[in-house]
């Protein structure tokens, strides 16, 4: 709805419309959670309820404050906050068994989600609790992705600042190496490295960090070249500051915000990459749960009979990647407008 039109809507009407849509959305969401329907219909009802409730809350807040409020980043931040806290505190939470098959011999298998209090998200073919596996899978996926993006940002940022500051021969050599890495398709590079290294969390971090380095080098180099021509750098040089001091004190603080905003977006790609490798059996392997190998459990005809085996970990994966993308785009618009516009 255009801004010129919506601003003319009376405040009471906006509040009433927002409250009505919110109530309808909550009703649809509750219906999708508890109604004795097939999984696909329940998922559609729940999605429709979330979208309707979100639209209603947006209009309600707009009517109360008389200004547009983008709630999506706040919802994404809330999801990531809850997920991270739950993942960190998973060992202290009253969760059912998530990896020891011998401890679940008497547990029912393939329970549907939202039907049983003991297993709110159901169980898999071995009777392991899906909620516990998703939270422990979040620990693995987030830890691998955050460590990889940290290593890639620090290493790539440092190399990019050096290349952008010295230029000439140093820039040419680093540019050739960066373009060589970018010339290899990421998935092929990941599969090749994963087959050479033993599957482990440490090796996954190293492989994914290598995937992050080239883009960080190019971004850091471009921003360094831009800030290299600023007055504060010339002033530092005129005052006799050394090259290392100029890079550390003048350039890095200005290059860091665009790198951090890019890193938030890169995290989502690394989560998908880790899930893809685990799905193919090249990443973290069972019994350690990750979202990728949980989705792989639905192979061999299981998906047709028990779609929740894919829907549950797939929902965690989708919501997490979506949240990081939204927050990353917001960060880029604030700290790196040129990158966000492109």
């Amino acid at each position: 709805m255009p801004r010129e039109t919506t601003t003319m809507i009376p405040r009471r009407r906006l509040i009433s419309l927002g409250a009505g849509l919110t109530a309808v959305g909550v009703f649809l969401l509750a219906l999708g959670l508890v109604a004795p329907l097939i999984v696909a219909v329940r998922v559609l009802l729940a999605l429709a309820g979330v979208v309707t409730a979100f639209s209603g809350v947006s209009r309600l807040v707009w009517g109360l404050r008389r200004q547009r409020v983008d709630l999506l980043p706040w919802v994404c931040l809330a999801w990531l906050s809850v997920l991270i806290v739950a993942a960190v505190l998973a060992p202290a939470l009253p969760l059912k068994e998530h990896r020891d098959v011998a401890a679940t011999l008497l547990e029912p298998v393939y329970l549907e989600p939202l039907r049983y209090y003991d297993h709110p998200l159901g169980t898999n073919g071995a009777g392991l609790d899906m909620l516990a596996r998703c939270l422990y899978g979040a620990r693995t996926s987030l830890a691998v992705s955050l460590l990889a993006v940290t290593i890639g940002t620090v290493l790539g940022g440092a190399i990019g600042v050096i290349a952008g500051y010295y230029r000439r021969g140093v820039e040419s050599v680093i540019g050739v190496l960066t373009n060589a890495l970018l010339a290899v398709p990421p998935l092929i590079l990941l599969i090749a490295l994963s087959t050479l290294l033993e599957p482990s969390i440490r090796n996954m971090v190293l492989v994914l960090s290598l995937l992050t380095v080239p883009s960080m080098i190019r971004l850091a180099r471009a921003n360094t070249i831009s800030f290299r021509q600023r007055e504060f750098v010339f002033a530092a040089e005129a005052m006799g500051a050394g090259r290392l001091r100029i890079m550390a004190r003048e350039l890095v603080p200005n290059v860091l915000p665009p790198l951090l905003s890019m890193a938030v977006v890169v995290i989502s790609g690394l989560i998908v990459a880790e899930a893809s490798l685990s799905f193919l059996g090249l990443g973290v392997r069972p019994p350690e749960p990750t979202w990728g190998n949980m989705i792989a459990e639905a192979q061999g005809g299981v998906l047709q009979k028990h779609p929740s085996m894919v829907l549950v970990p797939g929902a965690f994966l989708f919501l997490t990647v979506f949240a990081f993308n939204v927050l990353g785009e917001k960060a880029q618009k604030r700290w790196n407008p040129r990158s966000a516009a492109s």
Side-chain angles (χ1 to χ4, degrees):
M1 185 177 294
R3 185 184 180 91
E4 293 77 5
T5 304
T6 52
T7 52
M8 297 174 61
I9 298 178
R11 182 177 183 179
R12 290 184 178 179
R13 183 178 174 186
L14 269 177
I15 295 176
S16 301
L17 179 61
L21 288 175
T22 303
V24 172
V26 172
F27 173 76
L28 291 175
L29 178 60
L31 189 64
L33 294 178
V34 302
L37 303 171
I38 61 176
V39 175
V41 176
R42 295 171 65 192
V43 170
L44 291 176
L45 286 174
L47 290 176
V50 170
V51 173
T52 305
F54 180 81
S55 178
V57 172
S58 299
R59 286 169 169 78
L60 188 60
V61 173
W62 191 359
L64 294 173
R65 299 187 58 181
R66 297 306 297 172
Q67 62 180 358
R68 296 184 68 93
V69 178
D70 191 359
L71 294 179
L72 186 57
W74 294 102
V75 173
C76 293
L77 182 61
W79 163 256
L80 291 179
S81 300
V82 171
L83 179 65
I84 292 173
V85 171
V88 171
L89 299 179
L93 297 177
L95 300 172
K96 296 295 184 177
E97 182 58 43
H98 71 283
R99 69 190 302 269
D100 187 3
V101 178
T104 59
L105 293 177
L106 301 180
E107 293 288 339
V109 299
Y110 294 126
L111 291 181
E112 291 189 7
L114 308 175
R115 290 289 181 88
Y116 304 92
Y117 176 79
D118 291 341
H119 302 283
L121 295 184
T123 59
N124 68 354
L128 299 173
D129 185 69
M130 292 293 289
L131 175 60
R133 287 177 63 78
C134 284
L135 293 181
Y136 277 93
R139 289 168 62 93
T140 303
S141 297
L142 293 176
V144 168
S145 302
L146 291 175
L147 287 174
V149 79
T150 301
I151 295 173
T153 301
V154 172
L155 183 60
I159 296 174
V161 170
I162 293 173
Y165 183 80
Y166 285 100
R167 307 295 298 273
R168 298 182 181 178
V170 176
E171 183 184 25
S172 299
V173 173
I174 294 176
V176 170
L177 296 176
T178 302
N179 291 329
L181 284 175
L182 291 173
V184 181
L187 183 59
I188 295 179
L189 178 63
L190 286 175
I191 293 176
L193 292 175
S194 299
T195 53
L196 294 175
L197 301 175
E198 180 183 355
S200 67
I201 294 180
R202 181 188 62 183
N203 290 336
M204 283 288 295
V205 171
L206 294 176
V207 169
L208 293 178
S209 62
L210 182 61
L211 191 67
T212 308
V213 168
S215 59
M216 293 300 178
I217 291 177
R218 299 185 70 175
L219 181 60
R221 170 189 166 276
N223 282 276
T224 301
I225 293 174
S226 176
F227 287 111
R228 179 72 173 81
Q229 310 301 321
R230 299 290 181 87
E231 293 80 2
F232 59 85
V233 176
F234 293 143
E237 291 176 344
M239 294 175 64
R243 294 178 176 178
L244 183 60
R245 179 182 176 85
I246 292 175
M247 286 188 289
R249 299 291 297 273
E250 306 295 339
L251 293 176
V252 170
N254 290 283
V255 174
L256 190 58
L259 285 180
L260 293 179
S261 62
M262 173 64 76
V264 178
V265 177
V266 170
I267 291 174
S268 62
L270 296 183
I271 292 176
V272 173
E274 184 277 328
S276 301
L277 292 177
S278 297
F279 177 82
L280 296 173
L282 301 175
V284 180
R285 295 180 177 177
E288 191 67 32
T290 69
W291 294 333
N293 61 35
M294 289 176 66
I295 295 175
E297 293 177 358
Q299 298 182 88
V302 176
L303 175 62
Q304 288 76 11
K305 297 180 179 179
H306 309 285
S308 61
M309 293 297 100
V310 171
L311 292 177
V312 172
F316 275 82
L317 178 62
F318 169 78
L319 292 175
T320 304
V321 171
F322 180 80
F324 274 116
N325 277 330
V326 171
L327 295 179
E329 289 180 1
K330 284 292 182 181
Q332 284 187 326
K333 289 179 181 179
R334 178 173 182 179
W335 288 323
N336 192 18
R338 180 175 54 186
S339 175
S342 60

